[in-house]
Amino acid sequence: QAQLVQSGGGSVQVGGSLRLSCAATAYTPAIKCMAWFRQAPGQEREGVALIYTNTGNTNTAASVRGRFTISRDNDENTVYLQMDSLKSEDTAMYYCAAGRSVCTLRPRGDDYDYWGQGTQVTVSF
């Protein structure tokens, strides 16, 4: 069973950058895609970006397109989320996820099989 360990995050000012990492610590031969979701207090979990592990193709939510970039290092079994030009509305708990079959950015992330522990991102003025 895959285990996802997240790192990165923290606090930054508006306009700043952060990078999140998500390392799969177990053998994951059946993983089709990995994704990042986020959840702000009182709001539904929102899909941010996903990447297909074999092709590297990506899909990014409109709310972050042009500012966030998802990438992968298959040798290290790690997925990254580079976040630039951060806004206060990007403040949320960020989660990485791994899926074996269906890969979407639909809210809540019900398609995904494994989840990281979450990491807080706070963007302030």
Side-chain angles (χ1 to χ4, degrees):
Q1 182 171 347
Q3 292 182 333
L4 306 180
V5 178
Q6 297 179 222
S7 60
S11 297
V12 68
Q13 290 187 323
V14 169
S17 298
L18 287 172
R19 189 175 84 156
L20 306 181
S21 300
C22 175
T25 59
Y27 184 50
T28 56
I31 297 300
K32 183 177 180 179
C33 58
M34 295 186 71
W36 289 96
F37 283 76
R38 66 185 182 184
Q39 188 167 21
Q43 297 187 18
E44 193 172 46
R45 188 172 292 184
E46 171 193 20
V48 175
L50 69 84
I51 186 166
Y52 290 87
T53 53
N54 286 340
T55 65
N57 290 340
T58 63
N59 186 16
T60 307
S63 58
V64 303
R65 198 169 296 148
R67 301 187 297 119
F68 290 14
T69 303
I70 188 171
S71 62
R72 81 200 194 289
D73 183 336
N74 282 350
D75 291 338
E76 297 293 330
N77 284 336
T78 300
V79 172
Y80 304 97
L81 184 68
Q82 177 66 41
M83 304 183 292
D84 299 318
S85 302
L86 282 159
K87 304 176 180 180
S88 58
E89 52 262 44
D90 295 319
T91 296
M93 185 71 78
Y94 283 71
Y95 299 89
C96 70
R100 296 179 296 175
S101 56
V102 179
C103 299
T104 73
L105 291 179
R106 288 192 297 227
R108 300 196 307 273
D110 292 342
D111 300 324
Y112 291 83
D113 302 285
Y114 309 108
W115 290 87
Q117 78 276 21
T119 186
Q120 178 67 36
V121 171
T122 302
V123 185
S124 58
F125 292 97

